[in-house]
Amino acid sequence: NSRLTAYVACGSDGLAIVDVSNFSKPKVLARLNLSGDNTDVEVDATRGFAVMAAGDAGLHLVDISNAQAPKLIQTIEFGASVSAVQVGDGLAFVSIGTDLGVVNIATGEVLQTLNLSGLTITSLSLQGSTLFSVDAAHTLRSFAIQNNSLTALSSLALPAGGGRLFVGGNVAYIG
């Protein structure tokens, strides 16, 4: 069975899991009502988790090992809005207002919070062992991921941008 599955952040409606194997006839497999404004989702398929950025509600950790019966495992509140998330090697990298957080997906433990002293982080992207962020002040930053924590590498002030960020093939695309 080669089912193609999409995990969709549905704002105040939480998470939808959709079979998109036949793209002209998507089939909703399950919905999970979650608190907050769920705007970003990342999946760790190896561990069977979806991680949801849920605005002021925080970060939701969802068991998706059974795509037809997802279960909320834990919600982590930070005291600031969570707007973006990236997942790698069992860790969630989370934008928390002007801070970056590192969370162990299996335990929900917050391993690190890093204050960037800038404006709100608008997007994150992960490539290999490097995390990239862009904020509302149009600053692109890079961080090395080592031993479950982030270390600042460099930053670049951009003349414009600060919206969505994608990094691939060692090129950052910012809109």
Side-chain angles (χ1 to χ4, degrees):
N1 185 3
S2 59
R3 180 168 67 193
L4 182 60
T5 306
Y7 298 84
V8 183
C10 298
S12 60
D13 289 333
L15 172 68
I17 302 175
V18 182
D19 180 346
V20 292
S21 302
N22 181 348
F23 206 71
S24 63
K25 292 184 179 181
K27 178 183 174 189
V28 175
L29 299 174
R31 291 184 178 270
L32 181 61
N33 190 22
L34 297 167
S35 62
D37 184 16
N38 298 275
T39 57
D40 197 12
V41 60
E42 281 284 313
V43 172
D44 185 331
T46 303
R47 291 168 179 81
F49 276 93
V51 183
M52 309 279 301
D56 292 335
L59 185 74
H60 298 305
L61 304 179
V62 179
D63 179 347
I64 56 165
S65 57
N66 178 350
Q68 295 180 335
K71 292 182 283 193
L72 177 63
I73 300 300
Q74 183 177 2
T75 299
I76 304 163
E77 295 179 15
F78 291 96
S81 185
V82 175
S83 60
V85 63
Q86 290 285 293
V87 170
D89 282 335
L91 300 174
F93 303 97
V94 186
S95 68
I96 312 159
T98 61
D99 297 347
L100 280 177
V102 181
V103 176
N104 181 313
I105 295 171
T107 65
E109 179 185 2
V110 179
L111 302 174
Q112 180 185 20
T113 303
L114 189 61
N115 185 306
L116 301 186
S117 302
L119 292 180
T120 300
I121 299 166
T122 58
S123 191
L124 299 173
S125 188
L126 183 63
Q127 182 174 8
S129 61
T130 306
L131 180 71
F132 297 87
S133 72
V134 67
D135 65 24
H138 315 301
T139 303
L140 173 67
R141 291 185 173 89
S142 62
F143 303 87
I145 302 167
Q146 296 176 321
N147 301 320
N148 296 340
S149 65
L150 298 171
T151 304
L153 292 174
S154 61
S155 65
L156 175 66
L158 304 170
R164 298 295 297 169
L165 167 67
F166 172 76
V167 177
N170 295 317
V171 177
Y173 302 89
I174 304 165

